[in-house]
Amino acid sequence: MQISLLVQGSPTSSRACHSALAFAQAVAESEHSLYRVFFYQEAVTIGHRYFDSPQDEPNLQSDWQQFGLTHNVELVICVSAARRRGISRANNQDTVAAGFVVSGLGQLIDAMLESDRVVSFTA
């Protein structure tokens, strides 16, 4: 079964990004495959170049980057939601973290069409 993830909750004030990563790791260890992870609304801040985790907490951004690289999974942050939160590649102000791709809702629709299931993680 091919699965995509829609992550909407903030990485700092909700467990959505944490739960999505745990789910993604479980999918990667199963007979199923992960097609795409789409970060939307507040979750896009995980893809900000200057996202910083407290030293006594896991580095969630780094964990997602490593997961995407290891499992060859596209980590997409929504361009509209990102721009509203100061994340952009425009005007020589590249504030997108390595390993994340900025794209539109078309990538989410593509994931819905190509996947057997889309699992959503919200607040």
Side-chain angles (χ1 to χ4, degrees), residues 3-9 16 19-20 23 38 40-41 108 112 117-123:
I3 300 170
S4 285
L5 306 182
L6 170 61
V7 187
Q8 300 177 70
S19 298
F23 186 86
F38 192 88
Y40 189 52
Q41 296 177 340
L108 176 58
M112 290 175 173
R117 300 279 187 274
V118 176
V119 181
S120 180
F121 296 85
T122 58

Side-chain angles (χ1 to χ4, degrees), residues 37-51:
V37 180
F38 192 88
F39 296 91
Y40 189 52
Q41 296 177 340
E42 288 298 320
V44 300
T45 58
I46 194 71
H48 195 290
R49 172 185 253 166
Y50 301 111
F51 180 87

Side-chain angles (χ1 to χ4, degrees), residues 23-81:
F23 186 86
Q25 290 167 333
V27 169
E29 294 171 7
S30 73
E31 71 275 2
H32 306 296
S33 63
L34 199 57
Y35 181 69
R36 177 175 292 138
V37 180
F38 192 88
F39 296 91
Y40 189 52
Q41 296 177 340
E42 288 298 320
V44 300
T45 58
I46 194 71
H48 195 290
R49 172 185 253 166
Y50 301 111
F51 180 87
D52 194 22
S53 296
Q55 287 185 348
D56 62 339
E57 294 180 14
N59 187 330
L60 189 57
Q61 183 186 70
S62 177
D63 292 346
W64 269 112
Q65 289 168 318
Q66 186 62 43
F67 178 84
L69 184 64
T70 301
H71 299 287
N72 196 30
V73 173
E74 189 176 38
L75 305 175
V76 178
I77 59 174
C78 176
V79 65
S80 297

